[in-house]
Amino acid sequence: MPTLRIDVVTIFPEMFDALVGHGISGRAAERALFQMHRWNPRDLTEDAYRRVDDRPFGGGPGMVMLAEPLARTLDAISEAQLEERVRSQARADVKKAPVIYLSPRGAPLTQQRVCELAELTELTLLCGRYEGIDERLLRARVDEEIAIGDFVVSGGELPAMMLIDAVVRWLPGAVQDFASVQEDSFTRGLLDCSHYTRPEDWRGLRVPDVLLGGHHQRIREWRRQEALLTTQQRRPELLTSARKQGWLDPADERVLSRIGDQAKAT
Ligand code: 9D3
């Protein structure tokens, strides 16, 4: 299994310390399940001020990232990726790494896309700041634009870290407990069931009896019902698409119609 190489273009490379320093992504980095390289376009500027941005043509608020320092950075990355392939004797026919721009105008990131990205061996992520990047650079060099949701954050770094975290979890061996990855597929397309731990009675609030009985089949059924019910209540549109995907079986449908009947009765 070749390790995933991620190249990130950012004017705030230190922000990514958080990603490689903690948790599942930190451990995966330590164990070299992926390698991350950070590139600061400021390092490839040639003017005395090391400018990476300028005022927008046509006026308006804010600044725009310059195309040239980013193009130079992306060139340097392509070169480094090529060198790495030679060094690691990668197959000659591997496709060029896609360049992904984290952008509020991008397509919303989905678990489906995350899984596809986890299959790649190289990934280049471009993080914007200010109002965005000169459109000509995007047209010339970016393969895909991805957003993380319909809300505004201050730059592409946190979105890029979210994408990397989501992808790295899917690398073989990243999540210690394989059962928890399996569970993600058990509740595929649904919200998770509720979880409980000790004590059995916490300030008068009890754990559901079924979880204490040790009857594994019943526990399984209860958790599935919980997942279906919670999804029905909070994100009914997820249920519609899970149904279209064929992820609900007849037993699930019986649970859901029972929920529907109870709702009508009250
Ligand atoms: C009114 C113009 N704004 C667009 C919504 C300007 C603007 C705000 C924030 C331009 C860029 C940004 C920085 N955001 C990101 O780089 C970003 C982002 C986001 O804000 N929301 C969801 N996904 C993403 S991915 C990158």
Side-chain angles (χ1 to χ4, degrees), residues 102-104 128 130-132 146-149 151-156 159:
L102 285 305
S103 156
Y130 318 112
E131 293 305 300
I146 292 181
I148 49 153
F151 51 89
V152 180
V153 295
S154 308

Side-chain angles (χ1 to χ4, degrees), residues 143-258:
D143 299 302
E144 185 175 349
E145 295 192 28
I146 292 181
I148 49 153
D150 292 335
F151 51 89
V152 180
V153 295
S154 308
E157 283 79 8
L158 288 170
M161 283 190 256
M162 291 176 69
L163 184 150
I164 294 169
D165 184 273
V167 167
V168 163
R169 294 184 85 254
W170 272 88
L171 300 177
V175 175
Q176 192 72 299
D177 190 0
F178 182 67
S180 86
V181 175
Q182 276 184 318
E183 198 181 270
D184 283 349
S185 74
F186 171 65
T187 57
R188 190 156 62 150
L190 301 179
L191 300 180
D192 201 1
C193 64
S194 312
H195 302 283
Y196 298 87
T197 185
R198 293 190 293 178
E200 284 180 26
D201 184 308
W202 176 72
R203 301 190 175 192
L205 302 176
R206 292 199 44 83
V207 171
D209 280 334
V210 61
L211 299 179
L212 305 173
H215 193 308
H216 298 297
Q217 180 59 27
R218 257 197 266 162
I219 291 171
R220 223 180 134 73
E221 282 167 13
W222 180 86
R223 287 184 168 153
R224 183 76 186 177
Q225 285 177 28
E226 262 276 301
L228 289 162
L229 176 66
T230 309
T231 309
Q232 174 86 297
Q233 288 172 339
R234 301 185 187 183
R235 300 284 304 279
E237 80 283 6
L238 292 182
L239 224 44
T240 308
S241 48
R243 198 172 272 129
K244 279 186 195 138
Q245 297 284 333
W247 293 338
L248 301 187
D249 62 20
D252 293 332
E253 295 297 354
R254 282 195 295 278
V255 168
L256 288 168
S257 66
R258 224 169 58 219

Side-chain angles (χ1 to χ4, degrees), residues 6 77 132 139 173 220 234:
I6 303 172
I77 289 172
R139 294 272 165 96
R220 223 180 134 73
R234 301 185 187 183

Side-chain angles (χ1 to χ4, degrees), residues 1-264:
M1 189 63 201
T3 74
L4 171 62
R5 176 188 169 114
I6 303 172
D7 290 273
V8 185
V9 182
T10 170
I11 60 167
F12 297 126
E14 301 81 12
M15 284 182 76
F16 290 80
D17 290 347
L19 183 80
V20 292
H22 303 273
I24 287 172
S25 55
R27 226 171 50 90
E30 255 168 40
R31 297 169 52 209
L33 298 184
F34 76 102
Q35 42 172 317
M36 188 174 64
H37 301 271
R38 300 174 245 189
W39 302 78
N40 190 342
R42 225 177 268 290
D43 296 338
L44 288 160
T45 52
E46 281 179 341
D47 64 308
Y49 307 97
R50 308 216 300 158
R51 288 192 80 97
V52 292
D53 64 318
D54 206 336
R55 290 174 312 182
F57 278 126
M63 301 292 270
V64 177
M65 291 185 86
L66 293 162
E68 189 55 27
L70 294 174
R72 287 192 187 150
T73 307
L74 291 170
D75 287 341
I77 289 172
S78 297
E79 213 173 296
Q81 286 170 342
L82 213 73
E83 249 170 66
E84 168 93 21
R85 288 181 199 186
V86 173
R87 212 178 51 73
S88 70
Q89 298 180 313
R91 294 179 48 164
D93 61 353
V94 284
K95 280 206 218 99
K96 172 193 153 300
V99 176
I100 296 177
Y101 172 40
L102 285 305
S103 156
R105 297 205 302 183
L109 184 59
T110 61
Q111 188 61 41
Q112 171 64 32
R113 191 68 192 122
V114 165
C115 299
E116 289 164 6
L117 294 174
E119 308 265 288
L120 299 175
T121 54
E122 291 171 355
L123 198 52
T124 304
L125 301 178
L126 180 53
C127 303
R129 280 276 150 176
Y130 318 112
E131 293 305 300
I133 297 176
D134 190 308
E135 185 68 20
R136 294 166 295 183
L137 183 281
L138 302 180
R139 294 272 165 96
R141 298 300 189 88
V142 168
D143 299 302
E144 185 175 349
E145 295 192 28
I146 292 181
I148 49 153
D150 292 335
F151 51 89
V152 180
V153 295
S154 308
E157 283 79 8
L158 288 170
M161 283 190 256
M162 291 176 69
L163 184 150
I164 294 169
D165 184 273
V167 167
V168 163
R169 294 184 85 254
W170 272 88
L171 300 177
V175 175
Q176 192 72 299
D177 190 0
F178 182 67
S180 86
V181 175
Q182 276 184 318
E183 198 181 270
D184 283 349
S185 74
F186 171 65
T187 57
R188 190 156 62 150
L190 301 179
L191 300 180
D192 201 1
C193 64
S194 312
H195 302 283
Y196 298 87
T197 185
R198 293 190 293 178
E200 284 180 26
D201 184 308
W202 176 72
R203 301 190 175 192
L205 302 176
R206 292 199 44 83
V207 171
D209 280 334
V210 61
L211 299 179
L212 305 173
H215 193 308
H216 298 297
Q217 180 59 27
R218 257 197 266 162
I219 291 171
R220 223 180 134 73
E221 282 167 13
W222 180 86
R223 287 184 168 153
R224 183 76 186 177
Q225 285 177 28
E226 262 276 301
L228 289 162
L229 176 66
T230 309
T231 309
Q232 174 86 297
Q233 288 172 339
R234 301 185 187 183
R235 300 284 304 279
E237 80 283 6
L238 292 182
L239 224 44
T240 308
S241 48
R243 198 172 272 129
K244 279 186 195 138
Q245 297 284 333
W247 293 338
L248 301 187
D249 62 20
D252 293 332
E253 295 297 354
R254 282 195 295 278
V255 168
L256 288 168
S257 66
R258 224 169 58 219
I259 296 167
D261 294 346
Q262 279 169 3
K264 272 174 226 150

